[in-house]
Structures are given as C-alpha cells and as structure tokens.
Amino acid sequence: MIDKQQVIDLTNEWLADKEYFLVDVFIGKDDKITVEIDHADGVWIEDCAELSRHIENGLNGAADDYELEVGSAGLGQPFKVVQQYKIHVGCEVEVLTKEGKKLKGTLKEATDDNFTITITKKEKPEGAKRPQLVEEDLVFAYGSVKYTKYIINFK
C-alpha cells in the first residue's frame, strides 16, 4: 500500500519553489494515486509531467504496482482548499449551503477563516411601487457550506 503522507511530502517538495499549490491527494484501494494541483494562472501539462516524474522517482521501490495521475483540480469542481478561494476572488461562484440553498454571486473576499460573496436580489423598498435589484454581502465560514465552485461563463 502506498503511503499517502509520502506522496504529499514528495508533492510539497516539488511545489516548494513554485507558485502551484496542492489541492488533494487521493489513493484508491487499487493503489491508484491521484494528485491535484492548482495555480492562479492555470496548470500546465509540462508541470504535471515533471511533478509526476518527481513523485515516481521518490516512490521508487516503495511499491511495485501503482498508477499515478497528476492533474489540475478541474474547472467547475468544488473548491477543496482556501487557496482556491483566494485565486478566484472577483469571479462568479455558486455556493450550496448546508441547508440546501443554492446561491450565485461574486466571490468578494477570501480570508483564512471565511469567505464573502456578493449576491444580487430583488427587494421592494418601503413606499416603492416596484422591487429593485440590490446587492448584499454574505459571509460564510468554510465549514458552513456543502460546496463552493467557480461558474464557467462563455459570454
């Protein structure tokens, strides 16, 4: 069985002098290792190949039969680490609360403890005949939502 911490350590060793960051390491029952990385400007295939070689060299002799896949975290997939929130500030996101409510808005801020989205909603001011669109900031702790993901727009 492949040691997950060893794969994490090898990945972090390769990431040390780069602007990439580790999103996730998953090891399946059949020793299929999946390593997800991300970067503010996207992930390059050449870097995935280089990281893959680095991990393979580090695992040399650790296990005789495994499959290794290194890639990006993937657009449209839920965020897994705080750095993903930070690099998507200013982007449109979808949030699913633990209560099951879906919200769409702009990721306004991401700190180490929480994140803020700005949503637009209709509100009827007192004395007005028609509702107006107003913006509202909502703050969430990372653990208080089921997921947050980047919304892909082709406009």
Side-chain angles (χ1 to χ4, degrees):
M1 184 75 180
I2 301 291
D3 178 33
K4 182 176 180 176
Q5 190 58 51
Q6 184 181 11
V7 175
I8 291 170
D9 292 344
L10 288 166
T11 303
N12 284 331
E13 181 181 293
W14 184 83
L15 295 171
D17 61 342
K18 297 168 182 64
E19 292 181 18
Y20 283 99
F21 57 89
L22 178 62
V23 174
D24 196 16
V25 171
F26 176 77
I27 301 178
K29 295 177 193 172
D30 56 350
D31 280 341
K32 179 178 180 185
I33 307 165
T34 304
V35 177
E36 294 180 346
I37 59 173
D38 209 347
H39 186 283
D41 297 327
V43 176
W44 297 97
I45 189 78
E46 296 84 5
D47 292 329
C48 291
E50 186 180 315
L51 174 56
S52 180
R53 284 190 295 276
H54 180 80
I55 294 170
E56 286 172 355
N57 289 337
L59 291 177
N60 191 12
D64 46 350
D65 192 27
Y66 63 88
E67 181 182 345
L68 176 60
E69 180 181 303
V70 175
S72 69
L75 279 179
Q77 296 297 313
F79 298 161
K80 296 180 181 176
V81 295
V82 173
Q83 289 98 320
Q84 288 178 294
Y85 286 84
K86 290 181 178 182
I87 66 172
H88 286 96
V89 168
C91 297
E92 291 291 313
V93 295
E94 177 181 281
V95 175
L96 179 63
T97 67
K98 290 206 172 170
E99 295 77 34
K101 185 174 182 181
K102 269 189 188 177
L103 303 165
K104 289 184 180 182
T106 302
L107 184 56
K108 182 178 181 179
E109 180 182 26
T111 68
D112 290 339
D113 300 318
N114 55 49
F115 66 98
T116 304
I117 65 167
T118 302
I119 63 167
T120 303
K121 65 180 187 175
K122 286 185 179 182
E123 199 172 84
K124 187 175 176 184
E126 195 174 310
K129 292 183 179 184
R130 295 189 179 134
Q132 297 176 346
L133 292 177
V134 294
E135 290 186 344
E136 179 181 1
D137 288 347
L138 303 173
V139 179
F140 298 95
Y142 295 107
S144 71
V145 298
K146 287 186 179 179
Y147 70 73
T148 303
K149 59 185 178 179
Y150 173 74
I151 296 175
I152 302 168
N153 272 326
F154 295 104
K155 295 179 183 178

